[in-house]
Amino acid sequence: MYKKPWLCTLVMFCGESMCMLFFYLFALYFKCTKKKVDEIQESNGHVSEFQVKEQTKIQFVTREETENDPTGGLGWKFPFCVLLFATCDLLSTTLTGIGLMYCNASIVQMLRGFVIVFTMLAAWLFLKRKPKVFQVIGVLFAIVGLVMVGSSAVANDAASGGEQHKISETFLGIGLVLCSQLFSSIQFVFEEKLLKSGKTAPIPSLFLVGSEGIAGAFLSLAVALPTVNAIHG
């Protein structure tokens, strides 16, 4: 299955896009039950805040989130932000999938921890958030551990004579996984910058994930898959 990493990424985006379906199903439910909730409030006269929340909330979604602007007031800017997130997610997931073809899955999973290094650097660069001393020390320990993991993978392949993977393939796989974590860190930092900037209203998580799924599926079908299909080999 991992020999088709671009297809795996498309399947992932299709799964994410289902969140949008559930968001609007919940919105429809809230719309249909709005009259009932209003009648309960009128008949009881005074309803506690806890009762109102229990009547108007479904897990992950509240009535207010479905009634307000789900883009958080971004309007026409929202699709471009989502396209940026989806592009980073597309590249990150696909590069990881390709990396799995060239080195063991256990090595890939441990190397994915390198995202904390890139995220700290990206947050320092884009969010102007200088890391604290204990955070830098923790990241340094993580780097040492990750270097040991990569070195052991190369050493094992050299000792086995390349029975599973050639040394050059292992280096390629490690490089692809590290590049994928770079794109992941950029996605994380820009999502935080958007959601915690204070300039936007809260964006429902289901709506945001669903939007990224739709944008990612569009990028996969319209750009990524036709491009890689046209490349020989």
Side-chain angles (χ1 to χ4, degrees):
M1 184 63 179
Y2 287 113
K3 293 184 178 180
K4 304 292 183 181
W6 294 97
L7 179 60
C8 291
T9 303
L10 174 60
V11 173
M12 179 197 72
F13 281 127
C14 290
E16 288 184 6
S17 63
M18 294 297 291
C19 291
M20 185 67 77
L21 172 63
F22 283 100
F23 175 80
Y24 281 106
L25 285 176
F26 290 150
L28 179 62
Y29 169 79
F30 284 132
K31 184 177 181 181
C32 294
T33 58
K34 179 175 177 58
K35 184 177 179 181
K36 181 179 179 181
V37 173
D38 293 339
E39 289 176 352
I40 293 174
Q41 291 178 349
E42 290 177 2
S43 61
N44 292 346
H46 175 72
V47 182
S48 67
E49 183 179 352
F50 174 77
Q51 289 175 314
V52 172
K53 286 183 178 180
E54 287 299 308
Q55 294 164 358
T56 60
K57 182 178 180 181
I58 294 180
Q59 191 175 12
F60 304 124
V61 184
T62 63
R63 182 182 296 275
E64 290 73 19
E65 287 177 337
T66 59
E67 292 176 347
N68 297 333
D69 179 10
T71 66
L74 289 173
W76 62 271
K77 297 179 182 179
F78 182 76
F80 293 99
C81 293
V82 169
L83 277 174
L84 172 63
F85 303 152
T87 301
C88 291
D89 202 359
L90 171 69
L91 294 172
S92 173
T93 305
T94 305
L95 289 176
T96 300
I98 298 175
L100 281 166
M101 297 169 57
Y102 296 106
C103 56
N104 296 329
S106 59
I107 303 299
V108 171
Q109 290 301 322
M110 286 185 279
L111 288 176
R112 290 181 69 182
F114 219 93
V115 69
I116 65 174
V117 180
F118 292 134
T119 301
M120 185 190 73
L121 296 175
W124 193 357
L125 179 63
F126 297 110
L127 301 181
K128 308 302 180 183
R129 187 170 61 207
K130 188 175 180 180
K132 299 179 181 179
V133 176
F134 70 88
Q135 293 173 328
V136 175
I137 294 175
V139 167
L140 289 176
F141 275 111
I143 291 175
V144 172
L146 293 167
V147 169
M148 292 174 65
V149 169
S151 301
S152 68
V154 175
N156 287 335
D157 287 334
S160 64
E163 292 181 1
Q164 289 185 330
H165 302 285
K166 297 179 181 178
I167 297 179
S168 58
E169 291 180 345
T170 301
F171 275 116
L172 176 59
I174 291 174
L176 290 172
V177 175
L178 294 180
C179 287
S180 73
Q181 299 316 295
L182 176 61
F183 286 111
S184 290
S185 67
I186 294 174
Q187 178 187 357
F188 296 156
V189 168
F190 276 96
E191 284 182 346
E192 180 179 348
K193 186 177 181 66
L194 172 66
L195 298 176
K196 294 186 176 181
S197 62
K199 298 179 181 179
T200 61
I203 301 175
S205 55
L206 277 180
F207 184 82
L208 180 59
V209 175
S211 299
E212 288 186 23
I214 293 173
F218 170 77
L219 287 173
S220 297
L221 292 172
V223 180
L225 288 177
T227 301
V228 297
N229 188 58
I231 299 174
H232 180 71

